[in-house]
Amino acid sequence: MTSFRYGYDEMGIPTTAKTLLKTNHHGGVDCPGCAWPDPDKPKLAEFCENGVKHVAAASTLRRVDREFFSQHPISELRQRSDWWLEEQGRLSEPMVRRPGSDFYEPISWDEALDLVADQLNQLESPDEAVFYTAGRTCNETAFMYQTFVRAFGTNNLPDCANLCHESTGTALKNVIGVGKGSVTAESLEKADLIIVAGQNPGSNHPRMLINLENAKKRGAAIVAVNPLPEAGLLRFKNPQTPRGLLANGTQLADDFLHVRLAGDHALFLGLGRLLLEAEDRRPGTVLDREFIETYTDGFEEYAAHVRQVPWEEIEEASGLTRQEIGRLADRMVKARSVVVCWALGLTQHKDAVACIQELCNVLFLQGNIGREGAGVLPVRGHSNVQGTRTMGIAHKMPPTFLDKLGQEFDFEPARQPGWDATNAVTAIRDGKAKVIFSISGNLIRAISDIEAAERGMAGLRMTVSVATKLNRSHVVPGDVALILPAMGRMEREEHAGQVQALTVEDSMGTIHASRGVLEPASADVRSELDIICDLAHRTLGDKAAVDWERLRHDYAAVREHIGHVVPGFGDFNAKLENPAGFLLPHAARDRKFNTETGKARFTVNELHPVRIPDGRLLLQTMRSHDQFNTTIYSNNDRYRGIHGSREVLLVNPEDLSRLGFADGDRVDIFSEWSDGVERCLRNYRLVSYPTSRQCAATYFPEGNVLVPLGMNVDGSNTPVFKSVVIRLERP
């Protein structure tokens, strides 16, 4: 009922029915709310509560137009909350903020795009421009966007993946040769043991719970590893079944390991050691010696390292006892096939890359990759964040990709690596960048050190945002600022009487089509592909052999070019005729490892525990249940029992007592870094909650202000949103 009530409030009954009955169905529209794959045989109601919120928010009947902007100066909008900005409705016409003005005013599409093209062409170097992308963008737009940017002359293509799963891609490329997961939804359901670490599927990927329930019915054991107990994993009431609606549901997790923040690396070190010791006791019965000898290298060095790490250090770093880790090791010994799933709880620590490589070590020991029911499963958030990277949205792409791109369109692509998200915002802060162009997303809120980011953005010559709704980036404009209204995923993109199909890639590497079902929000909104191709033509002229005018409305023609450039997409349009889409090749799934050595690589990863000084806590940022990334749907977090406020800090009750506080007290939260800069969240309410001892949690993106731009994950440059030492003071 929560889902339908939200849909009714935003869209009304007819639109709610029209959209939801087509959501995640073959021939329908792919829900933008997450990247979980669609089943081969969708249910009538193939959506979750969070998906309904996302669809309803994108399809709202409210509009933000010239009258709205004439009544709300930018200085006023800057004081509004993220939730309030989101609630105002769909952007419906192009708007410009001219130098010195406190208001956005209407502008024609022609004038707006000419302004952008002129500003880009006036830069002293193409590298003074930043081109940001969020994961909602479809494959076709992403491919043409990166073609435009590289023909313009730069690789400054930061994206939201830099801030979430970049650590995953870095680690997996190092050890298996491809930065994507190896497990399909069907294979997940055939696992004997599923470890869900640093992930909250109940709020962030609810449809995943159906696959976990199916695996459970087949006899799988599920172990949750998290600093917070999350409701969805502990018990799942499937809304698509009578038992789920009427009975007590299914208890999913057989065990819950209450790991300390940043303690997952130590956990996997301990698991590896216990598996080696079990093999010592029963030679030939625990490890997959054939897999190790045939398909891997580095085993001896890894084994020697793991055996010498003291148990006291493993227990202190993980927050778990040897017996607790031993329970999971015993399950692994008995299991024939193991899948490890994870999300941002593993990817945003200082040693996140090392941690993910360590979990791969444990899987390699028993040959748990490249066979049914086993492998690595990083779970992505945005519906096409994996696809945009496949299409070339990255600050550094392989030379083979750039070679093919240049051959396809007869130009020499930029070769010098560009800026990722953190380096781009640092360049903006330092005055090295002059223009930012963003497709969807809200970089100013998604990045660390929000206050520094806002100061930098306000100093740019031009800020351009292609968006569907208002967000914080729009109220921190450059000297000239443009808001360009785009169609949403739910809207029908039609040209010459033909509805265009766009494509997306899910977390498992399946490509499938999505077709909008609603009329555009207004006559003045345009598709992202249309906007990009039009701008590219105005900016580049004939610099590249690209028929921008044709491609701006013809997705099938774009797919022909993709098929010539991107591996796995040959005969793209023909493959798309399968209603269920098609699965991209994944070498590691076939036990072919495109690493430096041609084998899966055991790695030695030194353990660097986060030391928490006396009187301090270790903080993580997280999403609430009523939130999608930086988009806030309400100030509630229903599953955690929090209502009416996001300015809260969750702390273990024993820590509250130890520090001299009580549930409901108000505190100022200070983060502590070696740079000596004071970063603070003021007047937050303490909530007694069963977090891990010495650990605390607050909401993203508000908590990002506590993390400096330079404090990033080793190897991936992702901000360390999950490892923040804080102190609490009374206001």
Side-chain angles (χ1 to χ4, degrees), residues 260-281:
R260 176 183 160 191
L261 275 171
D264 307 271
H265 183 179
L267 164 63
F268 287 109
L269 267 174
L271 286 173
R273 177 166 177 173
L274 289 174
L275 291 177
L276 290 170
E277 292 173 352
E279 174 73 7
D280 293 341
R281 293 191 297 271

Side-chain angles (χ1 to χ4, degrees), residues 126-127 149-156 395 397 402 405 411-417:
D127 290 328
V149 171
R150 292 191 163 101
F152 177 65
T154 186
N155 279 303
N156 288 343
H395 61 286
M397 287 296 288
L402 299 178
L405 181 67
F411 75 96
E412 177 55 35
R415 300 280 174 168
Q416 181 69 22

Side-chain angles (χ1 to χ4, degrees), residues 90-299:
R90 285 291 302 276
L91 297 164
S92 57
E93 59 182 318
M95 305 298 294
V96 61
R97 183 261 193 172
R98 300 189 187 277
S101 175
D102 195 27
F103 288 87
Y104 280 103
E105 61 186 64
I107 186 174
S108 71
W109 274 106
D110 283 339
E111 185 182 356
L113 294 179
D114 281 342
L115 267 178
V116 181
D118 290 345
Q119 188 63 251
L120 290 175
N121 285 325
Q122 289 175 24
L123 295 174
E124 294 182 9
S125 164
D127 290 328
E128 291 183 329
V130 172
F131 298 88
Y132 180 69
T133 319
R136 191 203 66 189
T137 301
C138 72
N139 289 325
E140 292 79 4
T141 300
F143 180 78
M144 296 313 302
Y145 187 40
Q146 64 86 31
T147 299
F148 160 49
V149 171
R150 292 191 163 101
F152 177 65
T154 186
N155 279 303
N156 288 343
L157 278 160
D159 72 330
C160 60
N162 297 146
L163 307 174
C164 53
H165 268 291
E166 195 69 44
S167 301
T168 292
T170 301
L172 293 184
K173 285 178 184 176
N174 287 344
V175 299
I176 65 172
V178 58
K180 301 180 182 182
S182 64
V183 178
T184 64
E186 294 76 15
S187 183
L188 175 66
E189 293 183 359
K190 296 175 182 177
D192 293 325
L193 173 63
I194 302 170
I195 302 171
V196 183
Q199 184 197 358
N200 178 17
S203 286
N204 299 338
H205 319 90
R207 290 192 300 138
M208 178 183 178
L209 298 176
I210 295 174
N211 298 94
L212 293 178
E213 183 181 47
N214 291 340
K216 188 80 174 177
K217 290 176 180 177
R218 288 185 170 95
I222 299 174
V223 175
V225 180
N226 207 301
L228 299 171
E230 301 292 9
L233 271 176
L234 300 182
R235 183 167 297 279
F236 174 48
K237 301 183 73 172
N238 188 342
Q240 296 181 345
T241 66
R243 174 178 174 173
L245 289 172
L246 302 176
N248 292 325
T250 301
Q251 180 178 329
L252 292 181
D254 295 277
D255 200 359
F256 171 52
L257 296 185
H258 208 181
V259 71
R260 176 183 160 191
L261 275 171
D264 307 271
H265 183 179
L267 164 63
F268 287 109
L269 267 174
L271 286 173
R273 177 166 177 173
L274 289 174
L275 291 177
L276 290 170
E277 292 173 352
E279 174 73 7
D280 293 341
R281 293 191 297 271
R282 294 179 290 167
T285 65
V286 177
L287 304 188
D288 187 336
R289 290 287 184 180
E290 181 180 358
F291 176 83
I292 292 171
E293 293 171 6
T294 304
Y295 294 105
T296 75
D297 61 17
F299 170 75

